[in-house]
Amino acid sequence: MKRKLLALLMTVAMVVSLAACGSSEEAATTDEAATTEEAATTEEATTEEATTDATAEGEVQTLTVWCWDSFNVDAMKTAGAMYEAQNPNVKVEVVETVSSDIQTLVQTYAMSGELDALPDIFLMDDQVFAKYLQNYPEVFSDLTDSGIAFSDFAASKVANSVRDGRNYGVPYDSNTVIACYRTDYLEQAGYTIADLTDITWNEFITIGEDVLAKTGMPMLTNVQGEPDLLNMILQSAGISVFDTNGNIALVDNEGLKEAMNVYIQLVEKGILQEQTDWSGYQGSINNGTVVGTINGSWICATIMSTDQAEQAGNWAVTNMPKLNEWEGATNYSAQGGSTWAVSSSTDSYDAAVDFFAKTWAGSTEFYDSILTDLGAIATYLPAAGSDAYNQTSDYFGGEAIYSKIVSYGGQIPTINKGIYWSEEKEALGVALANVLGGSSDLDSAIAEAQSTVEFNIGQ
Amino acid sequence: MHSKRNSLTVNQKHNLTGWIFLLPAALLIFAMNFYPMLQALFLSFQSGIGNKLSWGGLSNYARLLEDKVFWTSLINNFFYLLIQVPVMLILALILASLLNKKDLKFKGLFRTAIFLPCCTALVSYSIIFKTLFAYDGYINTILLNLGLISSRINWLGQVETAKIIIIIALIWRWTGYNMVFYLAGLQNIDESLYEAARIDGAGPIKAFFKITVPLLRPTILLTTIMSINGTLQLFDESVNLTGGGPANSTLTMSHYIYKVSFEYNPQFGYAAAMSYVIFILVALLSFIQMKVGDKR
């Protein structure tokens, strides 16, 4: 009897919990249905009727944005707030999504044809933008005739999101490479930032050895297996690893060998400390266990995010070393950066385009504010003339670093890049690790990298 | 219609009821498991990038033979398999028989402590291990302070140490899981057998090898198959602990499949072909295990 009662109680409990689940699910689905319906009506309102009608109805259109890093999120929120102030019927909602997640999600939705699941606007890493545009053109909205003035952006940056002469992206942050060093550490070793400006890698290595001997601190840090620094050296010297047809050209590439030799020397002499991942990289900078770093100018935000108050004022910005005697070698390069894209499935194409035209591609005031508040250096040319770029940064020793970075930007050599960037990067990372680990010499490591990339292209 | 239904025998009726009960689950399994598997098989015969796929026949499988990175990852997987699985299972067996001792105090506490690692998410424990063994991580700091090493060791940056750390992590995570199976198996072994052995003068080690191991054979077989299956599909540790590095020396097959699908220009057909290779390997190894190990 007792057992029967227990069984009965259990059954009742189960039924109740199931019913509860059922009802909440139902509620969720009706909710969802309501929002999609709403979205559908908004779309009708904007496309078929005049936009003013939509305002009159008081319906709020939401632009959902995916981007990563608090830095980008805050910049987008600033743009959103500015636009919302003038257009109360539009709401910009920013969802923080990691860069690699955006890539995976875009790909998954494109493969499954579920483009509706994409947000209205998303940010994409410049290194993979071309690859996604080529592989999944159906994801991107054509922005060529949208009225956005692409000529207002740095040409090399715009080119990254162009396919067959059509524009598919709104350029965002600057990818100009800078070298940042701790002046207090340099001082301990008897150097100043001027000693590290306009120098070659050979000179850098001599200084680096000296600094290491005197302070015990490596000059640079880099993520192991991710040859970002190597790629920066290559571009600074105008050395392409792809030929003009997009084929990989690593073997017999003397420039590549020279650049790899520099990298290997840096690691072997302890001047560059490799980190296992990005957080290790970031940590070494923020914890003050490294003298400096060379990266895209967006690294300033990382440098400033330390909890060590004593670092403020002790950083300085200069250009990167150049590749010794190499013909065409410069002290300038590019790394990272990202571009906004409007997804093709958006119900609010007009609103999205208008939003960009009035903020990201039309407001120097906006760029001034993100530069001042966030240190976000963009590629919007009209903004470079503004006074905001001449402001000094106390964090970086009271120097006008922004105008300095902008002046570097114009001197970056262009190289051939292709859609096989990730494959190349990885193969070179493996090659470097093999040489550094002693399991292979430089020539055979390069030959192996060449065959790996060729294999991947050969599909 | 009516007459027909009435003509069913009792047996047939029972069968029919059984099938009706099975139907929902069977349909779900078919839709969620077997249909995607068939799709993947179909996909593995197609080649191309992204959505632009065309029929390629066996070209993906032929391509596998030439793919050095795939072979590296296959060898890595077997390295983990050959070292980690035996060590882990033997350790689990020893722990289980120790914890099965009648006179052991705080048995529950020990059992829980050893089983707890299984409750941590794969990603979290990988990240914890990575933090521990980071260049300026906890392990290096302790060893340095104890004077055991003179300079920091780049644990995850060197081929040998990176492999060893993955194996240590795997053993930490999965030993307790296998131990629970052995503990369950041990409950079915009659205590009188051990008593008889003791009377006949057999020591605890002899009893372990002559009684415990043979009687646990079905459980050992089960755990071996599960561990082989799990090790061949290893993914989280490779991705989160080492990122497959240095120089692909810790890359597993599943991690490579992910890279081919999501990091490189996507080659889903090729990735599907690799998945089928893992599937066939698991099936083959399990078959051999069952033939060799199951002597009932």
Side-chain angles (χ1 to χ4, degrees):
Chain A
M1 189 58 207
K2 229 182 188 174
R3 216 176 248 187
K4 263 193 186 162
L5 198 70
L6 195 70
L8 186 74
L9 272 173
M10 295 285 273
T11 323
V12 169
M14 232 161 88
V15 168
V16 167
S17 63
L18 271 178
C21 283
S23 65
S24 68
E25 244 167 58
E26 212 171 282
T29 37
T30 39
D31 224 30
E32 224 170 85
T35 40
T36 37
E37 235 168 72
E38 211 173 283
T41 40
T42 351
E43 181 194 16
E44 260 167 49
T46 42
T47 49
E48 285 172 21
E49 298 163 38
T51 27
T52 42
D53 282 11
T55 332
E57 282 167 25
E59 279 194 62
V60 173
Q61 225 174 335
T62 305
L63 289 174
T64 310
V65 182
W66 284 355
C67 57
W68 62 90
D69 267 4
S70 57
F71 169 69
N72 299 324
V73 169
D74 289 347
M76 194 47 160
K77 279 186 178 158
T78 309
M82 270 183 74
Y83 190 73
E84 280 165 14
Q86 284 155 15
N87 303 273
N89 60 325
V90 176
K91 203 178 158 300
V92 178
E93 203 180 282
V94 186
V95 182
E96 184 164 353
T97 316
V98 179
S99 177
S100 54
D101 283 356
I102 292 183
Q103 294 172 28
T104 313
L105 287 165
V106 165
Q107 190 176 333
T108 314
Y109 291 142
M111 285 300 291
S112 58
E114 294 285 326
L115 293 179
D116 287 339
L118 286 170
D120 302 291
I121 296 163
F122 58 90
L123 188 63
M124 190 146 246
D125 191 320
D126 279 347
Q127 291 186 9
V128 296
F129 201 105
K131 174 170 101 177
Y132 278 82
L133 191 54
Q134 169 139 350
N135 290 333
Y136 304 109
E138 69 273 22
V139 170
F140 298 86
S141 274
D142 187 342
L143 301 171
T144 321
D145 305 317
S146 63
I148 294 172
F150 290 99
S151 56
D152 281 348
F153 293 91
S156 64
K157 179 88 178 178
V158 176
N160 199 36
S161 54
V162 170
R163 185 171 182 253
D164 300 333
R166 314 291 295 175
N167 289 87
Y168 292 91
V170 181
Y172 171 33
D173 57 343
S174 157
N175 51 9
T176 305
V177 166
I178 52 172
C180 305
Y181 303 107
R182 288 279 295 271
T183 46
D184 49 343
Y185 289 164
L186 288 177
E187 222 167 88
Q188 286 172 31
Y191 291 97
T192 63
I193 195 72
D195 296 323
L196 286 149
T197 306
D198 295 327
I199 57 169
T200 64
W201 278 108
N202 282 345
E203 289 166 326
F204 179 87
I205 288 168
T206 316
I207 296 175
E209 281 182 301
D210 196 28
V211 171
L212 182 67
K214 286 178 180 157
T215 67
M217 213 81 74
M219 284 295 274
L220 299 174
T221 176
N222 190 39
V223 182
Q224 181 175 47
E226 290 193 10
D228 286 334
L229 184 61
L230 179 64
N231 276 325
M232 288 181 243
I233 300 174
L234 289 172
Q235 181 156 9
S236 76
I239 299 162
S240 299
V241 287
F242 291 97
D243 64 18
T244 41
N245 298 323
N247 294 320
I248 188 83
L250 302 177
V251 172
D252 296 330
N253 190 330
E254 285 306 315
L256 172 70
K257 245 176 112 169
E258 174 101 20
M260 284 178 83
N261 262 325
V262 166
Y263 188 91
I264 289 160
Q265 275 190 60
L266 288 172
V267 178
E268 281 177 348
K269 295 191 169 158
I271 302 169
L272 186 150
Q273 175 57 53
E274 292 196 303
Q275 302 290 337
T276 34
D277 62 353
W278 181 256
S279 62
Y281 172 83
Q282 225 169 348
S284 65
I285 297 172
N286 291 344
N287 300 333
T289 56
V290 65
V291 177
T293 188
I294 295 176
N295 217 328
S297 58
W298 40 265
I299 198 69
C300 289
T302 304
I303 290 173
M304 291 196 273
S305 67
T306 178
D307 353 303
Q308 296 185 337
E310 72 270 20
Q311 288 200 24
N314 281 326
W315 279 94
V317 172
T318 188
N319 52 20
M320 69 182 283
K322 72 174 184 180
L323 192 56
N324 307 327
E325 318 288 88
W326 191 259
E327 201 190 322
T330 71
N331 293 89
Y332 310 98
S333 190
Q335 163 64 26
S338 51
T339 297
W340 297 106
V342 177
S343 58
S344 59
S345 62
T346 177
D347 295 328
S348 323
Y349 177 81
D350 294 328
V353 163
D354 190 54
F355 165 64
F356 276 114
K358 297 225 167 89
T359 53
W360 293 93
S363 169
T364 52
E365 197 188 316
F366 162 66
Y367 280 107
D368 285 358
S369 100
I370 59 170
L371 179 74
T372 311
D373 298 342
L374 308 167
I377 304 151
T379 45
Y380 186 61
L381 300 174
S386 116
D387 285 341
Y389 272 82
N390 291 322
Q391 65 183 302
T392 55
S393 163
D394 290 336
Y395 201 91
F396 290 90
E399 207 191 354
I401 57 164
Y402 304 121
S403 57
K404 201 171 190 177
I405 293 167
V406 172
S407 75
Y408 290 172
Q411 307 178 58
I412 304 169
T414 39
I415 53 166
N416 305 323
K417 289 184 187 178
I419 63 165
Y420 290 98
W421 190 247
S422 313
E423 285 87 341
E424 173 261 358
K425 205 173 130 175
E426 177 142 340
L428 284 182
V430 170
L432 282 175
N434 277 335
V435 176
L436 289 168
S439 64
S440 167
D441 64 275
L442 189 54
D443 282 317
S444 50
I446 291 175
E448 199 192 313
Q450 166 94 10
S451 73
T452 308
V453 180
E454 272 174 359
F455 180 83
N456 281 314
I457 296 178
Q459 174 76 336
Chain B
M1 201 48 195
H2 261 276
S3 60
K4 211 175 181 187
R5 184 176 286 178
N6 288 341
S7 71
L8 287 174
T9 65
V10 179
N11 247 344
Q12 277 172 322
K13 256 187 195 166
H14 275 178
N15 271 339
L16 194 68
T17 331
W19 279 110
I20 289 170
F21 271 113
L22 276 179
L23 200 63
L27 280 177
L28 277 175
I29 290 175
F30 182 81
M32 302 288 179
N33 264 323
F34 294 113
Y35 177 67
M37 276 164 77
L38 283 173
Q39 278 273 321
L41 183 65
F42 182 64
L43 189 63
S44 77
F45 295 122
Q46 291 174 302
S47 60
I49 288 175
N51 274 338
K52 299 175 223 80
L53 292 169
S54 60
W55 185 257
L58 287 171
S59 69
N60 282 328
Y61 292 93
R63 198 174 142 78
L64 266 176
L65 298 175
E66 291 163 30
D67 190 344
K68 283 187 202 140
V69 181
F70 178 75
W71 284 101
T72 310
S73 66
L74 186 77
I75 291 165
N76 289 342
N77 266 121
F78 274 91
F79 178 81
Y80 296 141
L81 191 76
L82 290 175
I83 310 265
Q84 185 256 337
V85 173
V87 172
M88 173 183 71
L89 293 184
I90 290 168
L91 204 61
L93 201 53
I94 294 171
L95 285 171
S97 39
L98 285 178
L99 288 180
N100 203 39
K101 289 240 179 303
K102 282 236 150 55
D103 42 359
L104 186 74
K105 294 242 161 64
F106 308 117
K107 223 185 284 186
L109 182 75
F110 288 132
R111 282 185 190 180
T112 318
I114 296 172
F115 185 70
L116 262 183
C118 302
C119 307
T120 41
L122 292 168
V123 176
S124 339
Y125 103 88
S126 299
I127 289 172
I128 289 170
F129 265 81
K130 186 161 82 177
T131 326
L132 282 177
F133 287 96
Y135 187 73
D136 36 14
Y138 194 62
I139 302 280
N140 266 338
T141 311
I142 287 189
L143 291 179
L144 210 59
N145 288 342
L146 289 177
L148 291 173
I149 49 173
S150 55
S151 64
R152 290 172 184 275
I153 296 174
N154 195 355
W155 295 103
L156 296 166
Q158 295 166 2
V159 177
E160 294 79 18
T161 46
K163 280 185 179 176
I164 290 169
I165 285 161
I166 288 203
I167 287 174
I168 292 175
L170 284 171
I171 289 174
W172 180 84
R173 175 66 171 73
W174 292 106
T175 303
Y177 181 76
N178 289 295
M179 184 197 74
V180 169
F181 284 94
Y182 294 144
L183 272 176
L186 285 172
Q187 309 311 309
N188 291 331
I189 301 177
D190 203 329
E191 185 58 25
S192 60
L193 286 173
Y194 290 102
E195 265 168 44
R198 248 197 316 277
I199 292 163
D200 289 344
I205 293 172
K206 199 158 191 187
F208 176 76
F209 283 110
K210 296 286 177 191
I211 302 172
T212 314
V213 175
L215 286 175
L216 273 181
R217 193 193 287 276
T219 321
I220 294 174
L221 185 68
L222 172 80
T223 51
T224 316
I225 291 175
M226 285 196 313
S227 305
I228 290 175
N229 187 7
T231 314
L232 284 179
Q233 297 183 39
L234 207 63
F235 177 75
D236 302 71
E237 290 79 5
S238 173
V239 174
N240 295 307
L241 248 170
T242 58
N248 292 337
S249 59
T250 57
L251 186 79
T252 62
M253 288 188 282
S254 296
H255 187 187
Y256 186 50
I257 290 174
Y258 178 81
K259 280 187 156 182
V260 167
S261 317
F262 291 105
E263 283 178 17
Y264 300 163
N265 281 281
Q267 307 163 25
F268 286 104
Y270 186 46
M274 284 194 261
S275 314
Y276 261 88
V277 169
I278 298 186
F279 173 74
I280 291 163
L281 279 175
V282 170
L284 209 70
L285 285 175
S286 305
F287 181 75
I288 294 172
Q289 280 288 321
M290 288 192 354
K291 280 285 156 210
V292 175
D294 200 359
K295 294 209 172 123
R296 272 177 301 179

